[in-house]
Amino acid sequence: FETCGRTVAAHTRDGMYYTELKLFELESLLPKYYVRISKSCIVNTKLVRSVSRGISGNGEVGFSVSGKRAYVSRMYYKPLIDRINETRVGYSVPGKETK
């Protein structure tokens, strides 16, 4: 989900759809694997293929179903990584493996 002026667009593999809801309203309605990555964007962490981080601390997300990329602000980078780690089945954090 991404803000486009005063509306919010939902990007899917098939196209774009628009909603009258604000991002903060969507945050409260969506499942926990959706996470805000900037003031203007919420992503589905199940579809995140890659996350990179620049020297400035900002990041970029690549998606598995499209070539679209979204930018992650510094404030939202760690919460994004934490949510990906929480929601990915079978994922273990290096150095924190369970026995």
Side-chain angles (χ1 to χ4, degrees):
F1 294 92
E2 182 176 40
T3 56
C4 298
R6 293 190 170 266
T7 61
V8 174
H11 296 267
T12 69
R13 84 181 79 184
D14 301 324
M16 283 181 33
Y17 303 91
Y18 298 93
T19 179
E20 299 282 325
L21 295 172
K22 306 289 185 214
L23 284 182
F24 75 89
E25 294 170 321
L26 287 168
E27 274 185 298
S28 66
L29 297 172
L30 293 168
K32 78 177 208 169
Y33 52 85
Y34 283 86
V35 65
R36 187 181 285 254
I37 62 167
S38 69
K39 283 184 172 182
S40 62
C41 192
I42 295 174
V43 299
N44 178 344
T45 59
K46 289 184 174 187
L47 300 177
V48 170
R49 183 190 68 213
S50 64
V51 180
S52 62
R53 190 171 194 182
I55 294 171
S56 67
N58 293 332
E60 187 177 74
V61 173
F63 298 94
S64 59
V65 296
S66 71
K68 178 138 176 78
R69 303 192 77 63
Y71 293 97
V72 183
S73 68
R74 286 179 290 178
M75 183 173 130
Y76 294 100
Y77 185 84
K78 183 169 178 355
L80 169 64
I81 298 302
D82 291 345
R83 185 65 54 87
I84 288 172
N85 291 340
E86 288 172 12
T87 57
R88 297 274 166 109
V89 176
Y91 181 84
S92 62
V93 177
K96 294 185 178 184
E97 289 84 10
T98 56
K99 296 181 180 182

